[in-house]
Amino acid sequence: MTQFTKNLLELDFVRVAVVSPEVRVADVDFNLSTIEAEIHRLAGQGCQLAIFPELCLTGYTCGDLFFQEHLLAKARAAVKKIARLSAGSGMALVVGSPVSSDGRLFNCAIFVAAGEILGIVPKTYLPNSREFYEERWFSSAFDVISEQVTWDGVAIPFGADLLFQAENLPGCIVGLEICEDAWVANPPSGQQALQGATILANLSASPEILGKEDYRRELVRAQSGRCLAAYVYASAGPGESSTDLVFSGHSLLAENGMILAENERFSFATDSVMADIDIGRLLNERRQNNGFADGLIESHRRMISFALRDAAADELRRPLTQTPFVPRREEERCRRCREIFDLQTTALAKRLRHTGSVNAVIGVSGGLDSTLALLVTAHAFDKIELNRDGIMAVTMPGFGTTKRTRNNATELAGILGCSLKEIPINAAVTTHFQDIGHDPDRHDIVFENAQARERTQILMDLANQNGGLVVGTGDLSELALGWCTYNADHMSMYGVNAGVPKTLVRYLVEWCADKVFSGKASDILRDICATPVSPELLPPDANGEIEQKTEETIGPYLLHDFFLYQVVRMQFAPGKVFFLASRAFAGTYDPETIMKWLENFYRRFFSQQFKRSCLPDGPKIGSVALSPRGDWRMPSDASPDLWLQELAMIKDEIGLQES
């Protein structure tokens, strides 16, 4: 078996670097040498596009030296040298330099690729208050007269209306703005995004003052999210003059509201950070966002083509986690758990108030899902000041129930102050087997589902008997895989967990154990988290332990939640999903295992849509939801063949056996 490899362009990735080079004010030769060294280094790392700061060839803080023709001539010569470097490195480069045109001086971003200067973009908004005096030296893009400048007999496109499109990845369109352009009420990058730009680059020389770091980071992050784009920000470092200001070299890359990478500030040496921008993701986001489409504008723009070099995507330069639904940092994870718990609690409380119900019925098994639903129900009752004894926690031991789960369910219900009811189902199910002529020793789907439906019947009838509603316990991952018995645990009067994937359910219960409860309740919750996931429909083993383990049948939920996020949230093709999974789970699952369960995911996701088409109400929690009334509308008889065929081609390519 060979490793499944892809190049960056095949995956719709562009490897972008933002650089804060070591500079000396007005020393163009030195600045060029540091930029050249960094270009060579980045080329060796597969970089395709590198962005350098505002006026990096001269230094931003030259003051009246910008009027020196000798400095300007040196800068022009340096730009031509960088153009030649772009040919040798294969990279597209953007550098900052002063440029003369029609008797005016402009603060410009210069785009070079394949040995040529392809376009020059002047700064639009010039700061001219407090520490800034740019209007003393430069003119705005609003003052441009000619649409080109001529250097050595070559006409170069000039103006703020330029965009740069990769001919071998048409979705990669680069828009340029300079420092203050990003800080105004209507940044040029917003219009550039509406004209198609997916990478918005800002060449900056932003001096540092107390608190500005956080504000800058949020500005970059928010603009990337608002524009459904990548926003890459290269800032001048502490080599700039410190006569009155300090520059930190704070450079960042953000994509659709998420910071992908940023550097450490205040380094005198050249510093850069790099990330793989997912152009495919950005285009998917835009296609799904009618608000973005409605904002599209027809205005004057000039599109300039360039070619991106390609490189192997062996090591991805972007965050890639096994648990996309679960934040990595504990602080953020705790905050997210609190938010989810509040969303679930408020949703159920609203439904209870609307129906006038003072009672709720919930089946408790001692498993993760029913435990979370029970905790949510208890807090919903508290929220609207109902007595918790109106919560009827029903345990219904059957052929597969173990002592461990049974005890956890009953003890937790007691600690929470719920009314506990135990109704064994063995006799009723055995009678049902007799009615339909089923051999009880035949442990097939009839054996399992008859128990699930008997339990739901009991819950529904108890709800009618007590004037309450049945709280559903099934989670988002089960709905994606159809791992629920139709018209059994598939059905309820309100499904509080319908928007919560299994990997997150576990963290929510752990969070409750750590932050909400203590003592015996906390111990029970931790034991529930340590219990294998099982519907407990088949008899236990000889030691009375759980024999039927869900993940042995349908695959690890860790993998399935990863697939769910990439397929539904990101809309990625099977090849990209498999590639990302192979990288994320390297050392955890081998490619054969990943492929086996990815194929299973696609088969089940398509074949089980009919269960999602008639789901009970339940709250949307995160960016992935499968409600037929909300986020996901899919025909129940759609074919998965197109997706499975691509996986079959990958298996053949890397020598995997048919599963």
Side-chain angles (χ1 to χ4, degrees), residues 150-170:
T150 302
W151 284 0
D152 297 337
V154 177
I156 303 168
F158 179 67
D161 60 334
L162 302 182
L163 295 176
F164 304 86
Q165 183 173 36
E167 58 192 32
N168 49 348
L169 186 61

Side-chain angles (χ1 to χ4, degrees), residues 554-577:
I554 62 169
Y557 278 114
L558 187 64
L559 281 176
H560 283 308
D561 280 359
F562 183 90
F563 300 152
L564 176 63
Y565 184 84
Q566 308 300 339
V567 172
V568 174
R569 175 66 184 88
M570 308 304 285
Q571 304 284 349
F572 288 157
K576 191 166 183 176
V577 175

Side-chain angles (χ1 to χ4, degrees), residues 2 88 97 167 200 208 347 429 477 506 624 657:
T2 59
S97 177
E167 58 192 32
L200 307 169
E208 207 65 80
V429 174
S477 306
R506 187 179 299 278
V624 176
Q657 298 297 317

Side-chain angles (χ1 to χ4, degrees), residues 72-86:
L72 300 180
K74 272 287 190 180
R76 283 195 298 273
V79 170
K80 296 172 190 174
K81 178 67 179 295
I82 288 173
R84 291 193 292 272
L85 289 172
S86 72

